[in-house]
Amino acid sequence: MAPIDLNADLGEGFGRWRLTDDEQLLSVVTSANVACGFHAGDAATMRRVCELAAERGVRIGAQVSYRDLAGFGRRAMDVPPDELAAEVAYQIGALEVFARAAGSRVSYVKPHGALYNRVVHDEEQAAAVVEGVLLAGGLPPVLGLPSSRFLKIAEGAGLPAVPEAFADRAYTEEGTLVPRTQEGAVITEAEAVVERSLGLARSGVVISRTGERVQVRARSLCLHGDTPGAVELARRVRARLESAGVPVRAFA
């Protein structure tokens, strides 16, 4: 059976305020999407999470976003492509300093929030993010929604394109995520999330909000760290996958 990576959004705090239980989640996931200061995170938080991830052998990923601390990166923004490319490179570079200081490196890049959803269909913004990744140097994998413009453009630019799925998010019949502004966009029932995780890992199929079977072939499964009971839920998901014979390991 093909292995599956478990990723989570970490370092989503600022100053004395912390949203995610980074230390506990890093004992479960195999890849850490670290906030790079634009939607959450600061220098001290980035350094701490990188050190914890390196100690546990967890891959470090740069979670890049629009410059939107007040809106947690979830507000739609119109950023000129050249500016967006520079800001993506800036965020990756900032995290790379702390990853290398911890004896690791930035192993992949994943957009966050409004930017993540925008680059599914917006070719110009997707190309700008890819340009930013290339500007930062190297050819790291990028993580995104299957069949998105972002992954197609990244692949064309020579970047490994890694599709991911969400066990705790509702899907449309087209295979995109239901917007968080709509009721039922986030699935909160723990057993449903666990079983969806297994279904996605085994067959790449999820049931849409309207009841259709949707193919979501993914190499990584995202577990949100900002949901109530996130740590225990992540443990249950990993235990269920492993008990079913699904290998859990990082893609990068």
Side-chain angles (χ1 to χ4, degrees), residues 129-148:
V129 175
V130 170
E131 182 185 344
V133 175
L134 295 173
L135 184 61
L139 294 172
V142 295
L143 201 55
L145 209 65
S147 303
S148 64

Side-chain angles (χ1 to χ4, degrees), residues 156-242:
L159 297 173
V162 180
E164 73 168 336
F166 297 80
D168 62 354
R169 291 293 306 277
Y171 278 82
T172 68
E173 52 274 24
E174 290 83 25
T176 58
L177 301 179
V178 173
R180 284 180 176 269
T181 52
Q182 296 184 19
E183 187 176 352
V186 179
I187 297 166
T188 56
E189 205 281 305
E191 191 56 31
V193 174
V194 171
E195 290 307 311
R196 281 164 63 93
S197 299
L198 183 59
L200 285 162
R202 272 182 160 174
S203 61
V205 171
V206 67
I207 304 301
S208 76
R209 61 178 174 178
T210 49
E212 291 91 352
R213 287 170 57 86
V214 178
Q215 285 289 333
V216 185
R217 296 287 183 187
R219 290 172 56 197
S220 185
L221 189 63
C222 181
L223 304 172
H224 282 104
D226 60 344
T227 55
V231 173
E232 183 55 34
L233 181 57
R235 286 180 178 140
R236 287 183 60 181
V237 167
R238 179 156 187 166
R240 184 74 177 92
L241 292 171
E242 291 178 334

Side-chain angles (χ1 to χ4, degrees), residues 59-132:
R59 300 295 188 269
I60 296 170
Q63 187 161 42
V64 298
S65 71
Y66 289 126
R67 188 189 293 270
D68 181 27
L69 271 177
F72 197 59
R74 287 180 176 162
R75 297 185 293 190
M77 303 183 78
D78 289 317
V79 180
D82 287 351
E83 184 178 332
L84 180 58
E87 292 193 338
V88 166
Y90 178 93
Q91 292 174 78
I92 297 168
L95 187 66
E96 183 71 28
V97 168
F98 300 116
R100 289 195 176 276
S104 185
R105 62 186 174 87
V106 172
S107 296
Y108 65 95
V109 177
K110 174 183 174 178
H112 164 81
L115 182 58
Y116 185 97
N117 291 313
R118 180 78 170 265
V119 298
V120 171
H121 301 296
D122 190 316
E123 187 145 353
E124 186 178 66
Q125 294 281 280
V129 175
V130 170
E131 182 185 344

